[in-house]
Structure formats: structure tokens, C-alpha cells
Amino acid sequence: MPSDDYQACIDACQACATACDNCSTACLQEDDVKMMARCIALDMDCAAICRDAAAFMARGSAFAAEICRLCATICTACAEECGKHLMAHCQQCAEACRRCAEACRRMAGAA
């Protein structure tokens, strides 16, 4: 069972991964998919690292803080890209990414 300190960050990572999955799928339905390529790629990277970070924390890995620092970096990049697009799915994803990046920075700083 992960510690309470980890649980909030795990929850943020899982929510972010879901938002990124939703965003990338919705981006594929947009009229100009090519314009959304960077958004889709970052969504995929972000979802993957968020799932990894959650798993590292759930296991209490000694590397959790390092993974969370990287996760925060990728979440921030994804939030910046999604934030450029006005579609609701991109805006929702950007917000989830910002929350996750903050949670990961807090967790990494506390570890």
C-alpha cells in the first residue's frame, strides 16, 4: 500500500494519463490531424510516463522521485502544447497535466 504522500501524486498521475488518452483520441478526430501531431505525440509520452510514475510510487521504488521529476518535465511540455489549442479536450488535458506536474514536483522534493 503506497504511503499517503504518494497517494495524492499517484491519483494525479492516473488522472493525467486518462486525460492524455482522451485528448490524443479526440485529436485524431480533428479535421486537421497533422496540425495536432505534436499534441498527440506528447499526450502519448505523458500518459506513458504518468503510468510509470504511478507504478514506481505504488511499489515504493527508490527511483520514484527521479521518475516523478521526469514526469513533471513531460507533463509541463504536454500542458504547454495542449494549452495552445482551444478544443475542450486539449484544455482539460492541459489542466490535468499542470496538476500532475505540480504533484510530481512536490513528491520529488519531499523524497
Side-chain angles (χ1 to χ4, degrees), residues 26-40:
C27 284
L28 289 170
Q29 304 305 313
E30 294 295 335
D31 291 336
D32 188 356
V33 174
K34 189 168 183 155
M35 182 188 82
M36 304 306 296
R38 179 162 165 74
C39 190
I40 294 165

Side-chain angles (χ1 to χ4, degrees), residues 31-80:
D31 291 336
D32 188 356
V33 174
K34 189 168 183 155
M35 182 188 82
M36 304 306 296
R38 179 162 165 74
C39 190
I40 294 165
L42 280 167
D43 284 336
M44 292 168 57
D45 285 350
C46 193
I49 194 70
C50 286
R51 287 191 183 92
D52 286 344
F56 272 66
M57 286 182 282
R59 292 192 300 271
S61 171
F63 298 101
E66 288 178 69
I67 292 293
C68 284
R69 276 190 281 280
L70 177 59
C71 187
T73 299
I74 294 171
C75 284
T76 298
C78 192
E80 288 173 2

Side-chain angles (χ1 to χ4, degrees), residues 1-15 50 53-60 64 68 100 103-104 106-107:
M1 186 76 190
S3 74
D4 289 344
D5 293 340
Y6 281 175
Q7 192 59 56
C9 193
I10 289 170
D11 292 345
C13 285
Q14 290 171 334
C50 286
F56 272 66
M57 286 182 282
R59 292 192 300 271
C68 284
C100 188
C104 282
R106 272 196 312 273
M107 199 295 296

